[in-house]
Amino acid sequence: MFNIDNFRGTRLYEDFKAEGKAEGKAEGKAEGKAEGEILGKLKSVPRLLALGLSVEQIAGALGLEVAIVQRVAAGEEVTPESLLGDNRP
């Protein structure tokens, strides 16, 4: 009788396994890149505020919501993970 152990030895199984690994690796890279981009923007907020830009100007320049810039300006910890949530690339 053919069972899962028999399937593991097939070329089809190895192809599926390799494809799954490649997809997982690509998704991980995309998530890391998105998190890094957001982190850079979040770190820029205090510096831009110190230069005299308004919260609205900063939000517009960085492509962030005004509410997020306000939270960062208030000293609240905002993480890329909290902003991406389920909307990861």
Side-chain angles (χ1 to χ4, degrees), residues 33-49 58-65 68-69 72-73 78-80 83-84:
K33 183 178 179 185
E35 288 178 10
E37 288 175 1
I38 292 173
L39 183 59
K41 291 178 181 184
L42 295 174
K43 286 185 172 187
S44 298
V45 171
R47 290 180 265 168
L48 295 172
L49 286 168
I58 295 169
L62 298 178
L64 296 172
E65 294 178 16
I68 293 168
V69 176
V72 174
V78 181
T79 64
L83 299 179
L84 289 172

Side-chain angles (χ1 to χ4, degrees), residues 18-34 88-89:
E19 185 178 326
K21 280 185 178 182
E23 286 178 11
K25 190 173 183 178
E27 287 176 15
K29 282 184 178 182
E31 286 179 15
K33 183 178 179 185
R88 292 176 181 261

